[in-house]
Amino acid sequence: MATSTPAAPTDGQPNPTPDSSAGKDGAGRDGAAGQSRRTLLHRLDVRGVPYVFIAPFFLVFGAFGLYPLIYTFWISLHRVELSTMDTMEWRGLANFTELIDDDRFWNALTNTFTIGVISTVPQLLMALGLAHLLNYRLRGSTFFRVAVLTPYATSIAAAALVFTMLFERDFGMINWGLSFFGIDNVDWESQKWPAQFAISAIVIWRWTGYNALLYLAAMQAIPRDLYEAAAIDGASRWQQFRKVTIPGISATIVFTIVLSTIGATQLFGEPLIFGQGPNGISGGADNQYQTLGLLLYEEGWKNYQMGRAATIAWAMFLILVLAFVLQRVVKGVKSRRARATGPKKNTKSTPSATS
């Protein structure tokens, strides 16, 4: 077999071969750099993009939530008038100490608490009952669900004006109905408890349907198998409601209680319009229904004391924080008691086998 051999160079030097190692090293470096860039982009995509998605919320919260909160606290440490907001006189915690010694603050706090209790308890109980009825298969159930939400869609001003006319002393429909039972006309606006009951009626009318729909959504998430099992065991409708429905929507009930507490603390529009004029800001001639929201408005926009108004705003915030902490403590105590009183393990010893 013939074989070919490379021709010898004419000048006696070895054949030059192409230097491939340099090209391979350059391509390797380019590939490694591209791979590192792709790895970096992948890490940014995985770790950075989620922060980009949630950044708008934090930007909006920082601009309209966190910054006003911090700035309000800064104002509460100064004497500031509404007409000269750029002029501040440092007072430290003097505004807070004066607020503690102010009888009007404690009166407004008491009124806020009583109106909150009078309006929240019946409201949530009625909402629970309405949701239980709407949870059944009824003809026109969609219509009834929309109907119970209509008061929530009504503006505060319209609802408060209508109820103010209903509770008028001389020609109101409420006093007209009470006259059939031999009850004289009640001056709902000038007396403490009648005024607070009237304001609570406005709150109940507006928010019962909203809470009812929240309860209804939670009830529809409860598996039907639980009701069928309870019915097979002989449980009545009332027992099913107590043993199945209430535990199944307990988280929603806590949620509505928190929302109602926040709303009661910030109650403003209903008592303001119910007062029908200057008495609305002061909560009546004797401050008989002045809430913390009305006191804040009176100090800031009637007395022009923005520092004291900011102090009241921070007091309202601290009250809500305290209520939240108490709720968590109570929940923790209940959970510990439930674990302590739970089913105990059978510790009865059995005789061991002997050989």
Side-chain angles (χ1 to χ4, degrees), residues 12-13 19 56 61 79 108 121 130 152 178 198 225 269 299 323 325:
Q13 298 295 329
D19 189 5
F61 174 74
R79 185 194 302 275
V121 175
L130 281 175
Y152 172 72
L178 293 176
D225 298 341
E299 288 291 348
V325 171

Side-chain angles (χ1 to χ4, degrees), residues 23-41 43:
K24 290 181 180 179
D25 292 342
R29 285 195 297 268
D30 292 341
Q35 181 65 27
S36 64
R37 284 195 298 269
R38 286 192 295 269
T39 303
L40 178 61
L41 291 176
R43 289 180 179 178

Side-chain angles (χ1 to χ4, degrees), residues 172-247:
M173 185 176 293
I174 303 298
N175 281 339
W176 174 77
L178 293 176
S179 64
F180 288 98
F181 300 93
I183 302 175
D184 296 334
N185 288 353
V186 179
D187 194 350
W188 296 95
E189 197 271 334
S190 63
Q191 300 180 31
K192 178 178 180 178
W193 290 111
Q196 294 191 11
F197 276 109
I199 295 170
S200 300
I202 306 174
V203 178
I204 292 171
W205 183 82
R206 287 198 70 238
W207 290 97
T208 299
Y210 175 80
N211 290 317
L213 288 186
L214 292 180
Y215 290 152
L216 177 61
M219 288 178 184
Q220 291 184 341
I222 300 175
R224 292 295 173 183
D225 298 341
L226 298 178
Y227 291 102
E228 294 176 359
I232 293 174
D233 290 339
S236 63
R237 289 289 180 90
W238 172 245
Q239 291 174 332
Q240 294 177 25
F241 179 74
R242 288 176 52 246
K243 301 297 183 180
V244 178
T245 304
I246 297 298

Side-chain angles (χ1 to χ4, degrees), residues 3-201:
T3 59
S4 61
T5 58
T10 57
D11 54 356
Q13 298 295 329
N15 260 343
T17 57
D19 189 5
S20 60
S21 62
K24 290 181 180 179
D25 292 342
R29 285 195 297 268
D30 292 341
Q35 181 65 27
S36 64
R37 284 195 298 269
R38 286 192 295 269
T39 303
L40 178 61
L41 291 176
H42 177 71
R43 289 180 179 178
L44 290 176
D45 183 31
V46 173
R47 299 181 180 181
V49 170
Y51 292 99
V52 175
F53 289 152
I54 64 176
F57 165 77
F58 286 100
L59 292 175
V60 174
F61 174 74
F64 300 101
L66 185 60
Y67 172 74
L69 185 65
I70 297 175
Y71 186 65
T72 301
F73 180 72
W74 177 250
I75 292 178
S76 67
L77 303 177
H78 297 77
R79 185 194 302 275
V80 187
E81 294 188 1
L82 182 62
S83 57
T84 56
M85 289 290 295
D86 55 342
T87 304
M88 297 185 182
E89 178 185 347
W90 175 260
R91 301 201 67 201
L93 298 177
N95 285 333
F96 289 91
T97 56
E98 291 180 359
L99 186 67
I100 294 175
D101 297 332
D102 192 353
D103 294 335
R104 295 183 307 151
F105 169 74
W106 294 106
N107 175 70
L109 180 60
T110 303
N111 292 338
T112 302
F113 177 77
T114 54
I115 294 175
V117 172
I118 296 172
S119 61
T120 299
V121 175
Q123 173 194 150
L124 297 183
L125 292 177
M126 293 171 60
L128 195 60
L130 281 175
H132 186 61
L133 292 176
L134 293 175
N135 196 31
Y136 289 109
R137 295 181 179 178
L138 302 174
R139 292 183 179 179
S141 59
T142 304
F143 169 77
F144 291 113
R145 293 172 185 177
V146 174
V148 298
L149 194 61
T150 302
Y152 172 72
T154 306
S155 67
I156 299 177
L161 286 174
V162 170
F163 274 85
T164 299
M165 297 176 63
L166 292 175
F167 285 101
E168 277 287 345
R169 181 188 61 183
D170 298 324
F171 56 86
M173 185 176 293
I174 303 298
N175 281 339
W176 174 77
L178 293 176
S179 64
F180 288 98
F181 300 93
I183 302 175
D184 296 334
N185 288 353
V186 179
D187 194 350
W188 296 95
E189 197 271 334
S190 63
Q191 300 180 31
K192 178 178 180 178
W193 290 111
Q196 294 191 11
F197 276 109
I199 295 170
S200 300

